Amino acid sequence: MNDCNEPDADVTSLASRLAALTTEHRDLDAVIAQVSVAPPPGDDLLLRRLKKRKLVLKDRISLIERLLDPDVPA
């Protein structure tokens, strides 16, 4: 019986999503550092948008980490 709603499938899916978000967050951090050093002319909002995206990613990462490792024992 191979049900998509199995707990192991959910954990694997969350873990892979967490890995993808963590990689994107790390890559975005590198881009922000590079843009901070040499901002492109005429695009004042770029850095703010990148930082906002990074915060959204951080929130999603935190949520998935809490789902994978809850504080309260089941």
Side-chain angles (χ1 to χ4, degrees):
M1 195 171 178
N2 193 4
D3 189 8
C4 290
N5 292 327
E6 291 180 16
D8 290 341
D10 291 342
V11 170
T12 302
S13 176
L14 282 175
S16 63
R17 183 71 180 141
L18 178 61
L21 290 173
T22 302
T23 300
E24 185 179 353
H25 186 269
R26 184 177 50 246
D27 293 346
L28 197 53
D29 196 33
V31 170
I32 289 171
Q34 188 176 15
V35 169
S36 295
V37 172
D43 197 356
D44 299 332
L45 295 178
L46 178 63
L47 190 59
R48 262 193 279 175
R49 289 178 180 153
L50 291 172
K51 287 182 177 182
K52 186 174 182 176
R53 174 69 180 155
K54 185 179 169 190
L55 286 174
V56 168
L57 289 172
K58 182 179 178 184
D59 289 342
R60 288 183 182 168
I61 289 169
S62 296
L63 175 65
I64 292 173
E65 286 175 340
R66 284 193 309 268
L67 289 172
L68 288 173
D69 189 25
D71 290 339
V72 180

